[in-house]
Amino acid sequence: TAKAAGGSPAAVYLTAAARIAVAVLVFDAYRYAWHRLAHINRFIYRHLHSWHHRLVVPYAFGAQYNHPVEGLLLDTVGGALAFLASGMSPRVSIFFFTLCTVKGVDDHCGLWLPGNVFRLCFWNNTAYHDVHHQLRSSRYNFSQPFFVIWDRLLGTYAGYTVEERHGGGLQVKIIKDHA
């Protein structure tokens, strides 16, 4: 309860939101670093990360499709670091880890849904990550799952457009000028 936590209900919710924000930043930075390393290091890519890239066209549950060791290093270690760095309680971590899982699934779902709240809140979205999974563009858009700032700061950002596909549907196209 708020009284047991030593503050008003509003203070408790603000504290939880601040801790989730810190966790999101830590988790996002860790995942960028690991993801980029997994593409630079041939051994890690060949033996671990290539499992995930067997999916050229991402689908929702493909977000969780990876080598078990990579799952441990990427998700478990990254989540633990975010949890510890933020100082969040186990109860607040339920919301944080649910957010991370749902966001990862959304980024890999391959659907550009109208009114998608994640697309409205984050530039890192289904289309952004789809660029990374396209053939010959896995050198770009490593950021996942929340922000694109790491790609922009570290020179791995690739712009894109979402266009109507002849015959129906939408397709993601990489903009030639990646800046």
Side-chain angles (χ1 to χ4, degrees):
T1 65
K3 190 163 193 136
S8 69
V12 170
Y13 288 120
L14 286 173
T15 300
R19 292 179 191 275
I20 288 172
V22 168
V24 161
L25 286 170
V26 170
F27 190 62
D28 207 63
Y30 176 84
R31 286 183 62 101
Y32 174 87
W34 168 260
H35 193 191
R36 188 163 181 191
L37 175 66
H39 280 267
I40 292 170
N41 184 294
R42 293 175 76 110
F43 179 85
I44 293 172
Y45 186 84
R46 184 176 301 130
H47 296 288
L48 301 178
H49 192 60
S50 65
W51 281 37
H52 181 72
H53 277 275
R54 292 175 185 170
L55 307 173
V56 177
V57 178
Y59 69 101
F61 294 109
Q64 305 304 319
Y65 180 73
N66 56 20
H67 190 283
V69 173
E70 184 176 29
L72 176 70
L73 295 172
L74 180 64
D75 299 321
T76 306
V77 172
L81 286 172
F83 175 81
L84 294 171
S86 69
M88 70 175 69
S89 69
R91 183 177 294 172
V92 172
S93 76
I94 292 169
F95 295 100
F96 169 68
F97 289 119
T98 300
L99 171 67
C100 291
T101 302
V102 171
K103 180 70 171 74
V105 168
D106 181 68
D107 287 348
H108 287 83
C109 77
L111 298 173
W112 191 257
L113 302 171
N116 182 334
V117 69
F118 289 128
R119 195 179 61 181
L120 299 173
C121 297
F122 301 104
W123 288 333
N124 192 333
N125 53 44
T126 303
Y128 184 83
H129 198 64
D130 192 49
V131 167
H132 178 74
H133 277 272
Q134 290 181 9
L135 295 174
R136 292 187 226 90
S137 42
S138 64
R139 297 180 321 229
Y140 303 102
N141 296 10
F142 296 108
S143 292
Q144 231 274 316
F146 296 105
F147 307 110
V148 301
I149 189 69
W150 313 115
D151 282 315
R152 287 198 177 269
L153 288 174
L154 299 168
T156 54
Y157 176 83
Y160 63 90
T161 61
V162 177
E163 301 174 354
E164 290 198 29
R165 179 181 288 141
H166 181 68
L170 301 172
Q171 65 184 358
V172 176
K173 288 197 171 183
I174 299 170
I175 297 172
K176 297 295 181 198
D177 179 18
H178 297 299

